[in-house]
């Protein structure tokens, strides 16, 4: 039975304004507090494990550590890595085309309590628990902040269980850009109690033999996270998870009654995977202008896994201007679990096409969709494993607006 909820239109205008303001504030923070290594930085070049660990131990604001090409040991522990806004600490591969590789051990690097640092042109491979783990050292009131991860590659972590490519706990004002994560157990990027972050232009690729529960996940009270222009290739059971399941003791800040809030996913490409997006215990998230190609089981999921007293049901999600190409063996369009509020979700102006049965393109949704397009072929053509182009001019305003 289809029901209409006229009062929700006003609510959605308010929610859209809140998310837009959050994203605007984040963009302003990126511009206003961009961290760039000064010309006068002290540069140290290292070529083995001992030199690298000593250089990190002595790093001061403005230090640039360049790691020569080669293989290095994992289980690196770094504590109190603090630069300054105009003098960040930079740790980078000396040769961007042939970066150093950190292998083995439980975790590639563990960085606890830091600020104003940049990691770039580094590779992590074959760790049992996490590839790169950055946290606040358990001091919830003093997060690690203003960090950039650029051109990082993480491979073969796990292979099963809660083993993450990149784990961020209690991190604020961060950017993860131009990274590649391939083969992991739990989450590709696990954000617990993180705020004001951007993940952009990254590739998440699944690998046989790895459980890959989710791609990027924002939970534990996380807010104002943007995921944009990323590519997902057979990436996970839940390619992007907006929310999740977190023990109450790990929420940052303490006492919030949602897993995540004010999240945005846009201009991404999803190929395969069980479901492109899952809204889990979230209180407001927007999934817009994404291209979804042949999801295996569902297009989206609305779930509730944290059920403590007073905890909000998964609610206030927006799914709009997406381009979805699927096959008729899809189990369902949107999987809705118990203890959720699907009536508060909004579906608008999505382009749906069932490529083997165009007449079956109209989705079954729990709330009416406004302005949807059904059964028209967008003429989506694959030009590379992770590149698709839209050849129908009428469909070019739907899905990812830039080829991610």
């Amino acid at each position: 039975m289809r029901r209409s909820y006229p009062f929700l239109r006003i609510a959605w205008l308010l929610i859209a304004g809140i998310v837009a303001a959050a994203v605007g504030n984040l963009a302003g923070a990126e511009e206003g507090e961009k961290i760039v290594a000064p010309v006068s930085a002290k540069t140290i070049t290292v070529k083995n494990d001992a030199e690298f660990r000593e250089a990190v131990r002595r790093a001061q604001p403005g230090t640039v550590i360049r790691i020569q090409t080669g293989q290095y040991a994992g289980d690196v522990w770094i504590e109190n890595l603090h630069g300054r806004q105009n003098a960040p600490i930079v740790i980078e591969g000396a040769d961007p085309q042939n970066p150093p590789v950190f292998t083995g051990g439980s975790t590639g690097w563990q960085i606890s309590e830091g600020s104003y640092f940049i990691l770039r042109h580094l590779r992590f491979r074959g760790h049992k628990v996490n590839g790169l783990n950055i946290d606040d050292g358990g001091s919830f009131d003093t997060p690690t902040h203003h960090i950039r991860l650029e051109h990082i590659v993480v491979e073969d972590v796990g292979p099963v269980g809660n083993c993450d490519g990149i784990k961020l706990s209690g991190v604020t004002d961060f950017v993860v850009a131009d990274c590649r994560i391939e083969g992991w157990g739990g989450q590709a990027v696990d954000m617990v109690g993180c705020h004001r972050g951007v993940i952009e232009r990254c590739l998440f690729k699944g690998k046989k033999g790895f459980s890959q529960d989710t791609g990027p996940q924002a939970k534990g009270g996380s807010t104002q996270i943007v995921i944009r222009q990323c590519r997902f290739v057979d990436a996970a059971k839940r390619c992007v998870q907006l929310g999740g399941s977190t023990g109450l003791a790990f929420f940052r800040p303490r006492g919030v009654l949602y897993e995540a809030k004010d999240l945005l996913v846009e201009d991404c490409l999803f190929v395969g995977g069980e479901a492109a997006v899952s809204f889990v215990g979230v209180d407001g998230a927007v999934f817009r202008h994404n291209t979804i190609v042949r999801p295996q089981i569902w297009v989206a999921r609305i779930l509730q896994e944290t059920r403590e007293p007073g905890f909000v049901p998964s609610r206030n999600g927006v799914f709009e201007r997406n381009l979805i190409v699927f096959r008729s063996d899809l189990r369902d369009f949107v999987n809705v679990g118990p203890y959720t509020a699907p009536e508060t979700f909004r579906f608008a102006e999505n382009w749906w096409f069932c490529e083997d049965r165009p007449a079956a393109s109209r989705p079954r949704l729990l709330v009416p969709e406004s302005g949807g397009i059904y059964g028209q072929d967008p003429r989506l053509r694959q030009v590379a494993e992770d590149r698709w182009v839209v050849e129908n001019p009428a469909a070019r305003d739907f899905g990812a607006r830039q080829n991610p």
Side-chain angles (χ1 to χ4, degrees):
M1 180 176 178
R2 296 170 68 91
R3 295 179 290 173
S4 62
Y5 300 88
F7 67 90
L8 288 177
R9 184 165 185 82
I10 295 174
W12 276 117
L13 290 173
L14 292 173
I15 291 167
I18 292 170
V19 172
V23 174
N25 290 340
L26 178 57
E30 285 185 84
E31 293 300 320
E33 297 201 69
K34 188 174 182 180
I35 52 177
V36 180
V39 175
S40 60
K42 178 182 179 182
T43 299
I44 303 170
T45 299
V46 299
K47 61 181 181 300
N48 57 49
D49 290 309
E51 290 180 356
F52 167 64
R53 295 179 189 232
E54 179 65 15
V56 169
R57 189 179 68 82
R58 293 179 175 273
Q60 299 293 322
T63 298
V64 176
I65 300 174
R66 289 188 176 150
I67 310 170
Q68 290 189 351
T69 299
Q71 186 165 303
Y72 296 77
D75 284 332
V76 175
W77 175 273
I78 303 171
E79 199 171 17
N80 294 314
L81 187 70
H82 294 286
R84 293 193 299 267
Q85 181 179 341
N86 63 345
I89 295 172
V90 179
I91 305 176
E92 63 184 6
D95 181 358
Q97 302 305 315
N98 192 9
V101 182
F102 288 81
T103 63
S106 294
T107 294
W109 291 8
Q110 165 85 46
I111 302 177
S112 292
E113 296 188 279
S115 61
Y116 294 108
F117 63 82
I118 301 170
L119 309 181
R120 61 191 176 205
H121 301 300
L122 303 168
R123 197 164 196 160
F124 300 89
R125 180 188 298 151
H127 308 294
K128 296 177 182 177
V129 180
N130 297 307
L132 180 59
N133 189 337
I134 302 174
D135 62 35
D136 56 11
S139 55
F140 288 12
D141 295 330
T142 56
T144 288
H145 61 92
H146 291 96
I147 70 172
R148 294 186 66 91
L149 311 181
E150 302 172 347
H151 299 282
I152 304 291
V153 175
V154 182
E155 302 170 297
D156 303 344
V157 176
V160 297
N162 189 23
C163 309
D164 304 331
I166 298 174
K167 188 172 185 67
L168 306 175
S169 304
V171 179
T172 68
D173 304 287
F174 63 93
V175 175
V176 179
D178 303 297
C179 296
R180 176 169 63 88
I181 303 179
E182 184 174 350
W184 63 94
Q187 290 70 47
V189 180
D190 191 17
M191 295 166 278
V192 181
C194 294
H195 308 274
R196 299 182 301 279
V198 174
I199 298 175
E200 59 186 0
R201 300 186 305 276
C202 294
L203 171 63
F204 303 98
K205 186 177 178 181
K207 182 179 285 189
K208 288 185 178 180
F210 292 80
S211 53
Q212 290 145 180
D213 294 328
T214 79
Q217 169 182 257
K219 66 175 189 173
S222 292
T223 62
Q224 293 180 254
I225 305 296
V226 177
I227 301 170
R228 63 191 179 200
Q229 297 176 25
C230 293
R231 307 180 314 272
F232 299 78
V233 178
D234 295 321
K237 299 179 180 72
R238 306 174 184 182
C239 295
V240 167
Q241 179 140 294
L242 307 179
S245 177
T246 311
L248 296 184
F250 301 103
F251 275 73
R252 301 160 168 92
R254 297 185 189 276
V256 297
L257 296 175
Y258 50 79
E259 284 284 350
K261 187 175 184 178
D262 298 337
L263 309 183
L264 173 64
V265 181
E266 63 180 358
D267 296 313
C268 294
L269 170 67
F270 298 84
V271 180
E274 290 189 5
V277 59
S278 296
F279 301 86
V280 187
V282 69
D283 190 10
V286 175
F287 185 90
R288 70 185 182 196
H289 278 289
N290 299 291
T291 299
I292 303 172
V293 182
R294 299 171 188 160
Q296 296 170 1
I297 302 179
W298 307 280
V299 173
R301 306 186 74 182
I302 302 172
L303 305 171
Q304 188 72 23
E305 295 176 346
T306 305
R307 301 176 185 177
E308 300 295 334
F311 216 83
V312 302
S314 193
R315 65 186 184 184
N316 298 336
V318 177
F319 189 95
E320 63 183 5
R321 305 291 290 185
N322 300 294
L323 172 61
I324 307 101
V325 175
F326 60 97
R327 297 179 187 265
S328 59
D329 60 357
L330 199 66
R331 183 182 301 175
D332 205 347
F333 295 93
V334 180
N335 168 230
V336 179
Y339 306 102
T340 60
E343 71 278 5
T344 68
F345 279 67
R346 178 173 176 255
F347 293 82
E349 300 178 352
N350 298 290
W351 186 300
W352 305 82
F353 182 67
C354 180
E355 59 183 346
D356 59 334
R357 287 180 56 202
S361 295
R362 183 181 288 270
R364 300 177 300 275
L365 302 173
L366 290 180
V367 294
E369 177 175 26
S370 61
I373 296 176
Y374 315 108
Q376 297 184 36
D377 189 351
R379 300 204 299 275
L380 198 61
R381 182 169 62 89
Q382 185 175 8
V383 296
E385 181 185 38
D386 58 346
R387 302 285 180 180
W388 295 69
V389 296
V390 175
E391 296 187 333
N392 182 344
R396 287 176 182 161
D397 289 335
F398 298 79
R401 289 164 290 190
Q402 303 175 45
N403 198 351

